[in-house]
């Protein structure tokens, strides 16, 4: 089995949380699958939410309800792709950024008294992930493989918004092997697949020899995993990223690559 591997990074990023938008737009701590699929769709030149809305509005106006699209084109095309995400850090530094938005669309309800829309957002700083795409022999994954290897991108990829350009480097096709038993998972994984996580505690021998202690970490967050068919809202799933020893109850999508155990979803 093969996978397409690349590094995805940027100077800044924002993956907006839809549940908080009062005084500040907050971000998820890591890139999630729908956002990653959006990047893949942009690389292939597939349509997005704006094209879906324009198409559906036209269908409603012309009473062609049977032609209404359930999903944006990019999601319909790539939603079945299996991906794996390895963060370069358990969490990234975040900072709030406040700026003015004076474009017409942002102030169209204030035409009589135009003003600047003041926006405050939380951005990730210098985020970086190692991404794997399972090459299952389908037309869409083969298309992606060729586009990545030849760097033939239709649209410029970005991290959440077009203010945050994405860097894609170290592209290669790697061999992966199915894993039936392991204690360490180097990527993010569904929390429901974990029965137990054992903390890393330095042994008495290591302490006696003054060996540096392993920095134990465990990140967990409910991240988007899919789009709901009815309204395209996020479907959430609890993820874990940790260096602890794990007892897993499911190895169906666990693979080994270059000494790393990675979980696809």
């Amino acid at each position: 089995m093969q996978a397409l591997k690349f590094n995805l990074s940027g100077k800044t990023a924002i993956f907006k949380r839809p549940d908080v938008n009062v005084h500040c737009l907050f971000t998820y701590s890591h890139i999630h699958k729908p956002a990653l699929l959006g990047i893949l769709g942009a690389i292939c030149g597939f349509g997005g939410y704006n094209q879906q809305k324009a198409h559906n509005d036209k269908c409603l106006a012309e009473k062609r309800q049977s032609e209404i699209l359930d999903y944006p084109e990019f999601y319909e095309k790539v939603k079945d792709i299996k991906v794996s995400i390895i963060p370069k850090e358990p969490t990234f530094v975040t900072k709030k950024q406040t700026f003015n938005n004076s474009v017409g669309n942002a102030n169209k309800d204030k035409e009589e008294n135009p003003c600047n829309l003041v926006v405050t957002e939380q951005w990730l700083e210098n985020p970086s992930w190692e991404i794997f795409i399972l090459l299952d022999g389908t037309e869409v994954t083969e298309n992606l493989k060729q586009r990545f290897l030849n760097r033939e991108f239709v649209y410029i990829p970005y991290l959440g918004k077009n203010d945050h350009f994405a860097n894609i480097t170290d592209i290669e096709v790697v061999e992966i092997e199915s894993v039936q038993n392991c204690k360490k998972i180097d990527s993010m994984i569904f929390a429901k697949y974990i029965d137990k996580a054992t903390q890393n505690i330095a042994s008495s021998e290591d302490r006696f020899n003054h060996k540096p202690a392993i920095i134990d970490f465990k990140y967990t967050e409910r991240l988007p995993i899919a789009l709901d068919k009815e309204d395209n809202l996020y479907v959430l799933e609890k993820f874990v990223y940790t260096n602890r020893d794990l007892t897993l109850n499911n190895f169906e999508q666990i693979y080994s690559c270059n000494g790393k155990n990675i979980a696809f979803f």
Side-chain angles (χ1 to χ4, degrees):
M1 184 73 75
Q2 291 184 324
L4 177 69
K5 183 180 80 71
F6 59 93
N7 287 334
L8 179 66
S9 63
K11 186 176 180 181
T12 55
I14 178 172
F15 305 106
K16 293 180 185 177
R17 299 180 61 98
D19 49 347
V20 181
N21 64 355
V22 180
H23 66 281
C24 178
L25 298 175
F26 287 90
T27 180
Y28 289 104
S29 299
H30 289 286
I31 191 171
H32 49 75
K33 187 173 183 180
L36 180 55
L37 295 182
I39 291 175
L40 301 182
I43 288 171
C44 292
F46 298 141
Y49 294 99
N50 291 337
Q51 289 79 8
Q52 179 198 22
K53 184 179 185 304
H55 173 85
N56 288 350
D57 288 346
K58 184 177 181 180
C59 289
L60 288 172
E62 297 176 357
K63 300 186 181 335
R64 293 184 288 118
Q65 279 80 356
S66 62
E67 299 180 26
I68 288 177
L69 299 176
D70 293 326
Y71 296 116
E73 182 187 14
F74 83 86
Y75 189 77
E76 187 67 51
K77 295 281 190 181
V78 302
K79 68 180 186 298
D80 295 325
I81 289 177
K82 298 295 184 183
V83 303
S84 183
I85 301 173
I86 303 179
K88 294 300 178 71
E89 299 290 342
T91 57
F92 300 111
V93 173
T94 60
K95 287 187 178 179
K96 287 184 180 180
Q97 303 287 344
T98 300
F99 54 93
N100 294 332
N101 186 345
S102 58
V103 300
N105 288 337
N107 298 277
K108 61 183 178 181
D109 57 338
K110 301 166 184 161
E111 292 179 358
E112 295 182 1
N113 298 297
C115 60
N116 284 333
L117 175 66
V118 180
V119 180
T120 301
E121 294 179 340
Q122 182 190 44
W123 292 356
L124 303 176
E125 293 210 331
N126 300 310
S128 182
W129 305 271
E130 192 173 19
I131 306 295
F132 292 82
I133 299 173
L134 192 64
L135 298 176
D136 54 7
T138 59
E139 182 180 351
V140 66
T141 58
E142 287 301 309
N143 181 26
L144 278 169
K145 181 177 78 170
Q146 295 304 319
R147 287 189 176 278
F148 269 87
L149 293 177
N150 297 323
R151 291 190 171 273
E152 295 176 346
F153 298 172
V154 178
Y155 300 122
I156 298 173
Y158 53 83
L159 301 175
K161 281 178 58 180
N162 56 10
D163 302 314
H164 311 278
F165 294 109
N167 298 319
I168 295 178
T169 59
D170 302 329
I171 302 170
E172 60 178 319
V173 175
V174 295
E175 297 291 333
I176 59 175
E177 295 182 358
S178 179
V179 173
Q180 300 302 319
N181 188 25
C182 63
K183 291 185 178 181
K184 295 282 189 181
I185 298 295
D186 296 283
S187 69
M188 299 169 67
I189 186 174
F190 288 145
K192 63 185 179 183
Y193 290 169
I194 300 174
D195 284 337
K196 183 180 179 182
T198 305
Q199 283 186 276
N200 294 305
I201 301 175
S203 66
S204 57
E205 181 179 351
D206 287 343
R207 291 195 296 268
F208 179 79
N209 292 326
H210 302 289
K211 290 185 178 180
I214 298 174
I215 299 176
D216 182 90
F217 68 84
K218 181 183 179 183
Y219 152 85
T220 180
E221 185 176 5
R222 287 174 59 83
L223 295 172
I225 185 62
L227 298 183
D228 182 77
K229 187 175 182 179
E230 295 297 324
D231 47 26
N232 287 182
L233 294 178
Y234 287 148
V235 177
L236 302 179
E237 186 72 51
K238 187 176 181 181
F239 281 86
V240 170
Y241 176 55
T242 183
N243 63 348
R244 297 178 181 179
D245 288 345
L246 302 177
T247 302
L248 303 181
N249 56 47
N250 191 317
F251 289 89
E252 185 177 350
Q253 295 293 335
I254 308 297
Y255 291 84
S256 174
C257 176
N258 298 331
K260 294 181 179 179
N261 297 319
I262 55 178
F264 284 88
F265 51 88

